[in-house]
Amino acid sequence: MIDEERYTPMSATAATVVPTAPAANRPYRLASHGGQPGTRPVRVGDVVFGGEQIIVIAGPCSVESREQVLDVAFAVRACGATVLRGGAYKPRTSPYDFQGLGEDGLRYLAEARERTGLLIITEVMDSEDVDLVAEYADILQIGSRNMSAFRLLQRAGRTGLPIMLKRGMQATIREWLLAAEYILDTGNDRVLLCERGIRSFDTEYTRNCLDLNAVPVVKAESHLPVVVDPSHGTGNAHLVGPMTAAAIAAGADALMIEVHPDPTAALSDGKQSLTPDQFDAVLNLARPVAAALGRAL
Ligand code: PEP
Ligand code: MN
């Protein structure tokens, strides 16, 4: 049930200058804000998504070893991240590429949480892994390739854990909101939407086209907090800084950024991963953008 007291008004983004028509009769009944624009905060422990504080989720693409994940965890915490990411089950294009460490990876994440106090987000790829991943994760990630795996969405939703739903790389915004509806319809109201770039015709300089249109569109349609992933959204480390700043300007409630101690040696997504120093610099450059919009980063 929606508690109207808990809504925060839309933050002072450019999107609020021209009011949008109220969302009425949308097929995503639970994801819609129902005519009252504003973001309904999602709380996970002490972390609040959709409030004044922009939440930073950071960590490696894949959990590669205990040392790697602990290293990154301490480094990103020092820069201001409050949620640690890292895949233990990896959806790789090729079956011959590194597939993740499975439960060992989950254990390393849990140890990092214990030692740093960071929350843990990690991907669950298959219904049969949901219970196991849910034993370790604070937030379940549903990846782009699984956005339309509706039975997985329902299964993950029923754990009651918060779910971050990445946008399918070829999904429309409507399809994405309807996928979120599958989770909300299980009675789980802690859903985060993550824009991570869509496929485009230009693959020479970018891996995906980060669709920042989606941020104010979702804000105008839905009460769900929006996460932006400029790492997968661009595919290139040097583009992560500018698109982080742009995501904040567009109204993002959280950022997901890939950080690796040595991106050149990463087992996945090294090209788009930042070193801890680069990550620190990106956040420092983006902070004034957040401040200009009345938000903290
Ligand atoms: C990831 O976050 O590492 C990942 C696999 O993302 P996506 O599902 O957006 O490709
Ligand atoms: Mn990745």
Side-chain angles (χ1 to χ4, degrees):
M1 217 188 65
I2 291 167
D3 173 2
E4 297 187 357
E5 300 280 326
R6 285 179 57 210
Y7 275 85
T8 49
M10 281 177 97
S11 52
T13 65
T16 59
V17 174
V18 180
T20 53
N25 303 320
R26 296 298 199 251
Y28 34 86
R29 294 183 288 126
L30 302 169
S32 164
H33 58 59
Q36 188 188 11
T39 300
R40 181 181 176 195
V42 166
R43 283 162 215 278
V44 190
D46 293 337
V47 173
V48 179
F49 290 85
E52 187 191 318
Q53 179 74 40
I54 296 171
I55 303 304
V56 180
I57 305 168
C61 177
S62 300
V63 175
E64 298 172 5
S65 70
R66 176 173 174 269
E67 292 67 32
Q68 174 236 23
V69 93
L70 287 173
D71 245 38
V72 181
F74 283 109
V76 300
R77 186 183 67 172
C79 301
T82 50
V83 185
L84 176 67
R85 65 148 287 145
Y89 296 89
K90 295 303 301 177
R92 304 307 300 281
T93 302
S94 165
Y96 307 118
D97 287 341
F98 178 61
Q99 303 286 308
L101 297 179
E103 190 170 4
D104 282 343
L106 298 175
R107 285 197 199 98
Y108 302 149
L109 287 168
E111 183 180 349
R113 166 178 50 208
E114 225 165 86
R115 295 182 53 175
T116 61
L118 294 167
L119 297 176
I120 300 299
I121 181 169
T122 195
E123 177 164 356
V124 58
M125 279 174 58
D126 195 281
S127 289
E128 73 182 28
D129 302 326
V130 167
D131 290 333
L132 179 67
V133 178
E135 275 178 40
Y136 294 90
D138 298 298
I139 306 172
L140 296 175
Q141 173 172 326
I142 304 284
S144 185
R145 290 156 191 79
N146 273 324
M147 185 205 83
S148 303
F150 302 124
R151 299 287 294 264
L152 172 62
L153 301 180
Q154 291 170 323
R155 185 73 182 73
R158 285 196 291 266
T159 63
L161 283 175
I163 314 277
M164 188 184 81
L165 177 64
K166 290 192 127 186
R167 180 178 177 186
M169 60 190 80
Q170 292 172 136
T172 65
I173 296 171
R174 174 183 290 258
E175 288 164 344
W176 186 26
L177 289 167
L178 281 165
E181 194 76 7
Y182 271 92
I183 303 169
L184 294 164
D185 192 47
T186 66
N188 185 339
D189 62 358
R190 290 191 295 170
V191 176
L192 309 167
L193 294 169
C194 178
E195 164 58 42
R196 50 78 71 205
I198 50 177
R199 285 216 158 154
S200 91
F201 47 86
D202 192 341
T203 52
E204 188 178 353
Y205 304 105
T206 54
R207 177 181 182 185
N208 290 294
C209 181
L210 185 63
D211 180 14
L212 290 181
N213 286 342
V215 180
V217 169
V218 166
K219 292 278 166 186
E221 287 292 310
S222 174
H223 59 85
L224 298 173
V226 182
V227 184
V228 173
D229 172 352
S231 303
H232 294 88
T234 62
N236 286 289
H238 79 99
L239 299 176
V240 171
M243 298 315 283
T244 292
I248 292 168
D253 297 302
L255 300 157
M256 174 178 258
I257 297 176
E258 286 186 337
V259 179
H260 193 286
D262 178 7
T264 59
L267 296 181
S268 60
D269 288 351
K271 197 173 159 208
Q272 69 197 30
S273 298
L274 302 181
T275 63
D277 284 350
Q278 291 167 341
F279 175 61
D280 195 35
V282 162
L283 293 185
N284 286 333
L285 283 169
R287 277 197 180 96
V289 180
L293 294 164
R295 301 188 86 172
L297 176 67

